[in-house]
Amino acid sequence: MADAQNAVLEQVRQYARETAMLESTQQLLEWDERTYMPPEAGEYRAEQVAYLAGLIHQRHTDPRLGEWLTQLAESPLAAEPHSEAGCTIRQMRREYDKKTKLPESLVKELTRLTVRGQQTWVVARKNNDFAAFAPVLGQIVALKRQEAEALGYEDCIYDALLDTYEPDEKTANVRRVLAALRDDLTPLVQAIAESDRAPKLDILKRIYPAAAQEAFGKEAAARIGFEFPAGRLDVTHHPFCTNVGPRDTRITTRYDERFFPSAFFGILHEAGHGIYDQGLPAEHYGLPPGKYVSLGIHESQSRMWENLVGRSREFWEFFFPAAKKAFSHALDDVSLNEFYFAINDVRPSLIRVEADEATYNLHIIIRFELEQELIEDRLRVNDLPAAWNEKYRQYLGIEPPTDADGVLQDVHWSAGLIGYFPTYSLGNLYAAQLFRQADEDLGNLPQRFALGQFLPLREWLREKIHAQGQRYTAAQLVENITGRPLDHKPLIDYLRKKLGPLYGLD
Ligand code: ZN
């Protein structure tokens, strides 16, 4: 009996590894499309990717797989949920259920509608014409409601959508933490806006040659522990990180010669994602014990290296001399203090993707609150721009002059991504809570950064998070490591401690 069950488990593992070969091939084709592919290759590439996607979907929903997983779920192999076998069975069963609950007609309709949604959105944003986008957005919201109903939920409909990106997380919990964060963050941001201190931002807008940025960025990424023998850095329009094999992690960036932070902190961010992917157990590649936990945990890794490490004073105590050499024209007359203040500039702004690490969360909270109202049918699509502007007034003290710079700025809703936004702020929250613990466990991390020692932190993250794969949910993982559930305090404490002295707040 036990032998038979072990044989079924091995069959499932082999099946998953083969599916992963198709998936990683698709990833590689998509990486190529966004980096080096000649423009005229697009049409055939779309066919290749669609064909592979079809094969992959068939494999994920194959009834044979469902039968094997049902057998295993009832076997003693599934009894210990955090073991390698228990984790594999639980997570594969979860994915199988999710993928087979959605009727094919709904999946097809959503794909068709979100392609049209994105095309309509591009034009509507360009023309500042929300009315042109509203009808298709209304249809997308209605279909996402159907999707949520098909997937099922216990407490509220938004749970079903959130669960796709942050498995097992609950809306009520995210609402509790983000509301507490909002209430503490709003007065902090307001006090900063009223401060008479401001950094000299022009120093970041001098000329920073792309080649020097690339060399300097690579040096920093390698120093913090991104392994270039198992990865690459290339140029793209919309930076991303992708994993195309157990020892093959590709990060990307774009260089703006007149604004230093965009590529440099972008590289640290993507390297943070990459370090997570490189730290997943290679022997379980394609299986749940070798996969990342959730988007929120993935984002916590990128945000930690980008912000808690990369924007710290100690990081620049180590790197500033090298930066002065690499960008001697731009930084010749700039002091470390001036540079440190400039890269930590905080101010209420309209555009999420350009926001600093403090106000960024308010942008997310606004979207999280509005998309819940939309999906619960408490807010009509036509009333969305007014509701958006009202929240920007309330939380950030500013009002978008146009819908293009307001409710039309993000691609997410047009692409059917509802329930995705909160994972960005979960990433910031997890990052701060985990970093505080790492600092406690390892002892004075910032002083190590000043000496150029970043590997102790990477090794700590590897052991505590990366090596765990999907053995625990994100919430369990954070509670196991820090001894308490997710809390907004570590993030707000970190922001106050850093920004208070810069802006002369009490
Ligand atoms: Zn990210």
Side-chain angles (χ1 to χ4, degrees), residues 147 174 190 219 252 258 328 356 381 393 397 429 467 505:
E147 182 189 311
V174 179
Q190 198 183 340
E219 191 189 313
T252 57
R258 298 305 300 261
S328 51
D356 56 78
V381 164
R393 256 196 307 274
L429 291 158
L505 315 177

Side-chain angles (χ1 to χ4, degrees), residues 269-270 273 299 302-303 424:
H269 181 99
E270 300 307 333
H273 282 304
E299 194 68 4
S302 57
R303 294 286 176 164
Y424 292 120

